[in-house]
Amino acid sequence: MVAPKNRPPQDALPPRLDALLESLMDRDFAARLRKVYQAAAVAIDRLGHLSIVKYEPTTAEPDDAADLSLWETMAPAIGETLVDVNRLVVAIRDAFPPPARPAVSNDGGWAPPPASSDERLSQEAEAVLHASAERLSKRVQELGVQMRRPEVVSDRWTLMSELAASRADFRNRIGDLVYLTAAAFADVRREDVVPGYANQVGARVALRGAAADLRRSLQGRLERAAKATDAQRPALARQAEESLAAFVSLPASLALKTPTKREIVAARGRLRAAGTQPALGPEVLPGLVEPFLALLDEAMEEVTRHWLTVHDRAVWAASGVRLEQVDMHLELGSPGAARVLEEAVTAAGALTGRSAPFDAFLRKGRQEAAEGLNEAGARDLLARFRERLASLPFS
């Protein structure tokens, strides 16, 4: 498979991590650590791009639909996962061979202290690498056994869920390895040194925004259904199913967890069935859509909690800085006020899905900015922007 032209090499390191390696005084240690980081970057990339979408059912399956051939069908994906992680373990052990087990003696395992602070930090990083390699190796063995359990092998969704969760767990463990070893030598942020981390955060931002659009679309269908006749509601059920189909076709939906994908498939099936009826009572569509919306909200809250808290705070702070610049432009009578305000509204779009009132403000703010802002309009939008930023539900 040919990689996209604009995609960096799999072993490319983030600029901050590359600069950190260049700053290390022990060049031999830095060279060995670079090899580990490059192997980690490849593993994270491959685990992140190993697609299991082709194995996912597009229609709901009965609970007893056991298919013992499924494991064989997915064996290549499982095998690639194990191989990718094992390659990193080998790279760690090649670059930093595990210390030999000390012979039993009466000195309590005493060793001379490090000669310098740099040596102490290097030893700390090596200890993290050795422990991480050991745990990754053990997790690989556990996964091999786990994937052969009867309750996993016989159920497509369970097998995919286990595999997807294991891949995510491996990526997180590998990211921890890179972050902890890099943090031994400098004050760094995870997003600046862990390969692929910024892309993973970006994928969750896109997912949360797409989910917010889906929620608004489905709520609109419910509002129309409340005013429609029984004969008109099946068409609205079909439209709701089409909204779900469009959502899962988006690249952003790849970041969904497998259990959520399963619920979407089930919801589509129920809506599709409702759409074939000649008429629907007023309670049918709410009974189908509202439980799904509650599940979707719960899934997006988890995405925000686990992936986007730091990101959201950074966007929130950057928005505040931009609004201060708008204030300064307005004070000087500068035309830059409208430009910066429009940029602030656009950048704050990364918070879409965090709060429904804020989403509504952003939609209206983008429209106002696109139509052009005079001084009075800019001051009014600035005041409302500040009010909405202050009301965001940061915990």
Side-chain angles (χ1 to χ4, degrees), residues 166-190:
S166 295
R167 288 166 51 218
D169 179 60
F170 279 129
R171 288 199 305 272
N172 290 338
R173 289 171 184 255
I174 296 169
D176 290 346
L177 174 159
V178 174
Y179 175 62
L180 280 179
T181 51
F185 301 100
D187 183 13
V188 296
R189 300 185 306 171
R190 182 183 292 269

Side-chain angles (χ1 to χ4, degrees), residues 208 299-309 312 353-354:
R208 187 176 63 182
M300 291 307 103
E301 286 171 7
E302 183 182 4
V303 166
T304 296
R305 187 168 59 251
H306 289 290
W307 281 98
L308 301 180
T309 300
D312 289 354
R354 180 93 200 203

